[in-house]
Amino acid sequence: MARIEGDPAACRAVLGEGGVRTRDLPERSEGEFCEIRNVVSIRGGTTPLRPAAPAVTCPVALSFAIWERHALQPAARSILGAEVTVIDHYGSYACRRIYGQETGRVSQHATANALDVAGFRFSDGRRVTIAADWSDEGEEGRFLRAVRDGACQAFETVLGPEYNAAHRDHLHLDRGPYRVCR
Ligand SMILES: [Zn+2]
């Protein structure tokens, strides 16, 4: 899918064919390294996100749609016997370096090329969060680990509680240059 990175039109075409509704955001720069370019807000056609309509790069929108359709909802059905009705997240665009440090590598969040997923709400009223349920030895923990493994198929970098303490309450999903799955 590397081609999609450099081809905004192809990325939007694939999203459209999949029934994912997006709106283009105007390009802009902020500070010395933050940039909104090839960024869309997700408006519909996927499992609803909360807060609604996060701004993500088109490739992240595509990875998200593939993940929620081919990994998240199938895992919810087969492991928990329910549908995911809401995906709770902590955000996508944030103008900062990794871990909010003063120096060092620029975060993929600085270009909206990442999404931090916190948890899920289900059709049976259940809620499952990374913070509370990652270590669960029953079906809810099994569901979360299946969701993480599925994300590794759709995104480049996936970091969760097994990576470090900074990710104890969310799954960081991005389309950056590094292939990491933990
Ligand atoms: Zn993140």
Side-chain angles (χ1 to χ4, degrees), residues 52-131:
V56 293
T57 58
C58 193
V60 165
L62 192 51
S63 290
F64 169 78
I66 290 167
W67 168 68
E68 65 96 8
R69 246 171 241 190
H70 298 290
L72 176 67
Q73 291 291 8
R77 282 191 289 269
S78 69
I79 299 173
L80 301 178
E83 296 277 325
V84 178
T85 52
V86 172
I87 299 168
D88 290 297
H89 72 93
Y90 289 148
S92 48
Y93 177 72
C95 187
R96 61 174 175 79
R97 298 177 191 273
I98 60 170
Y99 309 130
Q101 292 163 348
E102 292 292 311
T103 59
R105 193 142 53 80
V106 171
S107 168
Q108 290 295 314
H109 288 287
T111 48
N113 203 32
L115 181 67
D116 288 341
V117 169
F120 310 95
R121 305 176 199 212
F122 296 87
S123 50
D124 60 3
R126 185 157 27 172
R127 285 185 75 165
V128 174
T129 66
I130 312 295

Side-chain angles (χ1 to χ4, degrees), residues 38-62:
N38 193 18
V39 168
V40 300
S41 61
I42 301 173
R43 295 292 170 147
T46 73
T47 306
L49 286 141
R50 192 172 300 177
V56 293
T57 58
C58 193
V60 165
L62 192 51

Side-chain angles (χ1 to χ4, degrees), residues 117-118 129-136 144-145 148 158-172 181-182:
V117 169
T129 66
I130 312 295
D133 303 305
W134 182 264
S135 304
D136 172 57
L144 288 178
R145 290 184 290 276
R148 187 270 315 268
V158 176
L159 307 176
E162 287 171 21
Y163 183 67
N164 65 15
H167 296 85
R168 68 188 171 281
D169 62 355
H170 67 278
L171 292 176
H172 166 96
C181 174
R182 276 187 74 190

